[in-house]
Amino acid sequence: MSQKSLIERLWEVGPLFVQGAPHAKLLGMTFVSVDIGRATLSLPYNPKFIGNPKTRVLHGGAVTTMLDQASGLAAIAGFDTFRTVATLNLSIDYMRAATPGARIIAKAECFHVTRAVAFIRAVATDDGNDSPMAVATGTFTMVPSKLGEN
């Protein structure tokens, strides 16, 4: 598949990758952009997902879900063939709480691929704030399209 057709396909599938995932849809995640080896998603502030009522900060599970989803899309965009992926490992370091009321942006980058595994780095920030609230590293594997296929 040529790079141009892969990018076109990624831009077709990127929004569906979010809208078609029940958990992402429930959280209100939205597709922002995709490129070869890169993906960006956003998550609006929603009081339903507050983790601490006193601080009104979103629960870390919402941030985790978003980082996993953005990383998965970056993994798909990192392979030279279009395939479904599964998370093998995801490690997240939380650096600070999300700002109450702020949209969260997750940017993920595929920095290395093997035949079947993509290695990802991702960062979550508040809208308009470059200071990371969480950073993630992950590994994702291609899911065989047919039994026995790699």
Side-chain angles (χ1 to χ4, degrees):
M1 187 178 291
S2 74
Q3 274 209 341
K4 184 176 180 184
S5 63
L6 178 58
I7 290 173
E8 289 171 349
R9 174 84 189 206
L10 289 168
W11 274 90
E12 290 171 2
V13 171
L16 300 175
F17 189 75
V18 176
Q19 296 165 359
H23 62 281
K25 192 173 182 178
L26 176 70
L27 287 170
M29 244 182 262
T30 56
F31 168 81
V32 176
S33 67
V34 68
D35 200 347
I36 300 300
R38 297 177 187 272
T40 303
L41 302 180
S42 74
L43 179 67
Y45 182 80
N46 186 334
K48 289 184 202 173
F49 304 116
I50 288 174
N52 182 339
K54 288 183 181 182
T55 62
R56 304 201 42 83
V57 171
L58 286 181
H59 189 276
V63 177
T64 296
T65 302
M66 184 179 179
L67 285 166
D68 185 42
Q69 197 76 6
S71 295
L73 184 55
I76 289 169
F79 289 112
D80 58 1
T81 59
F82 191 81
R83 285 299 226 4
T84 303
V85 298
T87 308
L88 292 175
N89 183 56
L90 186 66
S91 176
I92 301 173
D93 292 316
Y94 290 93
M95 302 159 120
R96 63 176 178 83
T99 304
R103 174 178 299 274
I104 298 171
I105 305 295
K107 293 183 179 184
E109 174 188 13
C110 178
F111 65 91
H112 181 72
V113 291
T114 66
R115 191 170 66 96
V117 177
F119 297 83
I120 308 296
R121 284 186 279 243
V123 64
T125 59
D126 295 321
D127 196 16
N129 185 346
D130 291 334
S131 173
M133 79 175 63
V135 293
T137 56
T139 52
F140 293 76
T141 187
M142 267 196 227
V143 174
S145 58
K146 295 178 186 171
L147 192 60
E149 181 182 309
N150 289 352

